[in-house]
Amino acid sequence: MDVILQIILLLICAKLFGELVERMGYPALIGEIAAGILLGPSLLGWVTTNETIEVFADIGIIALLFVSGAEMNLKSFLERRNVAVTTAVAGVIVPFAGGILLGYLLNFSQAETLFLAIALSITSIGVSVRILVDYKQLNTVLGTAIVSAAVLDDIIGIFLLGILSAVAMQGTTLAGGSLSAGILIGIAFLVVFVLIAPRVLRWLFDLARKTETHEMVYSVAIILALASAWLSHTAGLHYSIGAFVAGLILGDQIRRDRPLFDSLMDFGFGFFVTLFFASVGLLFSFTWETFLSPYIIPIIVVAIGGKIIGGYIGSFHFLTKAEALLVGLGMTPRGEIALVVAKVALVGGVIGSALFSAVTVMVIATIIFTPLLMKHGFAWAKIAEKESP
């Protein structure tokens, strides 16, 4: 089928399913993922992942994180740095330890156990942000804590991916030089970007406002988002990191221009972000035999439980118990980076197809379960708040 027609079908189905799910009181992303599952290789087989859809999906995650960064208050974000650090660290250590224990119990090899621990440790910032946007919680204390922790979690995940890549290339012996170089490059990029980017990005943005072309500011905002994402990716980090930081830096200027902010929201959520979540559903390409794997249920349980416990432990000193639980729930979804980790491990011969399939099912399951759990978590938190003295 022609790729344009595939995109049309995917977009129509994703928007319709998203609307139906929202009317039921749940985030639209569940319906968008369901559209991908329906049209993808698992069921109808009308749409398959291809290079064009993957590029649009990448732009979707860039747009989502850039707009989300612009929507947040930089001062509030920085004020939450303590809870962000402790939550990110605990949110990695607990599921990592759970993965090590589970790998031992399932008699995995050392390399397979390391892979599982890494895959369980990584939060999807894109999914977490979309859930908070849908529930209108992005700018709350809770939302800021989740997003700031998820950003650090993503960075830690990239470094863990570097470890796994070294294992894939060198067997069970870590390639210390290449791994250290990758980590140093990533850290150097973040330091330089945070020091230089605010002045440069704001100068370019102000320059765009002085032009005669009325849509120039809109174009420059998109260009800066894409350029920051590309620089981040070039430095070995995920696209989302650069896009989010750029949005955070330009947030004050963008929020003051409401038509611009609304246009960027439409640019992202009207097309690209929808395709990103629909493309997640396209990955669900398994037979019923896949679900007979003895690995799937234990991996999903440890994936969800590890993040909830880690997020709670990391944040309960700074927030209420109800908020700390919601932070743990918000850290639960895995996404694009976990899938990259799985692909690296599979191609490098670290894992087999059975474990790869089980982890991919886990990723999709956590993306679907998290908004459902958070819906009930928000309801419980409101009840707990009313009952508190």
Side-chain angles (χ1 to χ4, degrees), residues 210-359:
K210 299 177 182 179
T211 60
E212 296 294 330
T213 309
H214 74 279
E215 72 274 6
M216 181 63 76
V217 177
Y218 175 77
S219 298
V220 168
I222 295 174
I223 291 169
L224 293 178
L226 294 173
S228 300
W230 176 79
L231 288 172
S232 176
H233 181 69
T234 302
L237 301 174
H238 192 262
Y239 290 117
S240 60
I241 302 298
F244 179 77
V245 174
L248 206 57
I249 290 170
L250 295 174
D252 289 339
Q253 289 97 319
I254 291 175
R255 288 194 305 273
R256 284 198 296 265
D257 189 342
R258 195 65 200 184
L260 172 62
F261 180 79
D262 291 340
S263 296
L264 290 172
M265 286 286 288
D266 293 340
F267 163 78
F269 287 85
F271 180 73
F272 291 103
V273 175
T274 299
L275 281 183
F276 166 70
F277 285 103
S279 70
V280 172
L282 296 179
L283 297 172
F284 203 79
S285 57
F286 309 112
T287 62
W288 287 110
E289 286 75 14
T290 302
F291 297 97
L292 298 177
S293 168
Y295 307 147
I296 290 179
I297 299 300
I299 288 175
I300 291 176
V301 170
V302 173
I304 295 176
K307 280 295 182 182
I308 293 175
I309 294 170
Y312 183 88
I313 291 174
S315 61
F316 83 97
H317 286 297
F318 305 92
L319 306 172
T320 66
K321 291 182 179 180
E323 289 173 334
L325 176 62
L326 283 166
V327 168
L329 290 172
M331 299 286 288
T332 298
R334 282 31 167 223
E336 58 285 343
I337 297 180
L339 294 174
V340 169
V341 168
K343 288 180 182 178
V344 168
L346 182 66
V347 173
V350 175
I351 63 172
S353 58
L355 184 53
F356 173 82
S357 297
V359 168

Side-chain angles (χ1 to χ4, degrees), residues 9-282:
L9 289 173
L10 199 58
L11 190 60
I12 291 173
C13 192
K15 283 300 182 185
L16 288 176
F17 280 24
E19 177 67 18
L20 289 173
V21 169
E22 275 203 291
R23 287 175 180 268
M24 296 167 61
Y26 295 95
L29 71 90
I30 297 177
E32 293 164 359
I33 294 171
I37 295 174
L38 174 65
L39 297 176
S42 289
L43 296 175
L44 297 179
W46 292 353
V47 181
T48 56
T49 300
N50 54 62
E51 187 175 349
T52 302
I53 292 177
E54 287 180 355
V55 169
F56 284 162
D58 285 337
I59 296 176
I61 195 69
I62 291 169
L64 172 62
L65 269 297
F66 179 72
V67 172
S68 300
E71 191 174 358
M72 297 188 72
N73 185 292
L74 179 59
K75 183 179 178 181
S76 298
F77 186 85
L78 294 176
E79 287 175 351
R80 293 289 163 187
R81 60 185 179 275
N82 291 335
V83 64
V85 171
T86 57
T87 303
V89 172
V92 168
I93 290 177
V94 174
F96 188 92
I100 294 292
L101 178 60
L102 183 60
Y104 173 77
L105 294 175
L106 295 176
N107 294 317
F108 287 163
S109 67
Q110 289 184 348
E112 288 174 327
T113 300
L114 175 62
F115 156 75
L116 183 60
I118 292 173
L120 293 178
S121 302
I122 303 170
T123 294
S124 171
I125 182 175
V127 177
S128 298
V129 166
R130 176 62 188 275
I131 293 170
L132 291 169
V133 169
D134 285 346
Y135 281 126
K136 296 179 173 59
Q137 294 288 326
L138 185 63
N139 270 321
T140 63
V141 171
L142 173 67
T144 304
I146 291 174
V147 174
S148 53
V151 169
L152 295 177
D153 200 337
D154 245 10
I155 295 171
I156 295 172
I158 295 298
F159 296 154
L160 293 175
L161 177 58
I163 295 174
L164 186 66
S165 299
V167 171
M169 290 186 294
Q170 302 292 329
T172 57
T173 303
L174 294 181
S178 60
L179 175 59
S180 300
I183 293 175
L184 289 175
I185 289 172
I187 294 174
F189 165 79
L190 287 174
V191 172
V192 172
F193 195 75
V194 169
L195 291 176
I196 296 177
R199 182 172 299 178
V200 174
L201 293 182
R202 288 167 183 160
W203 176 74
L204 290 172
F205 198 76
D206 290 337
L207 197 63
R209 290 191 176 281
K210 299 177 182 179
T211 60
E212 296 294 330
T213 309
H214 74 279
E215 72 274 6
M216 181 63 76
V217 177
Y218 175 77
S219 298
V220 168
I222 295 174
I223 291 169
L224 293 178
L226 294 173
S228 300
W230 176 79
L231 288 172
S232 176
H233 181 69
T234 302
L237 301 174
H238 192 262
Y239 290 117
S240 60
I241 302 298
F244 179 77
V245 174
L248 206 57
I249 290 170
L250 295 174
D252 289 339
Q253 289 97 319
I254 291 175
R255 288 194 305 273
R256 284 198 296 265
D257 189 342
R258 195 65 200 184
L260 172 62
F261 180 79
D262 291 340
S263 296
L264 290 172
M265 286 286 288
D266 293 340
F267 163 78
F269 287 85
F271 180 73
F272 291 103
V273 175
T274 299
L275 281 183
F276 166 70
F277 285 103
S279 70
V280 172
L282 296 179

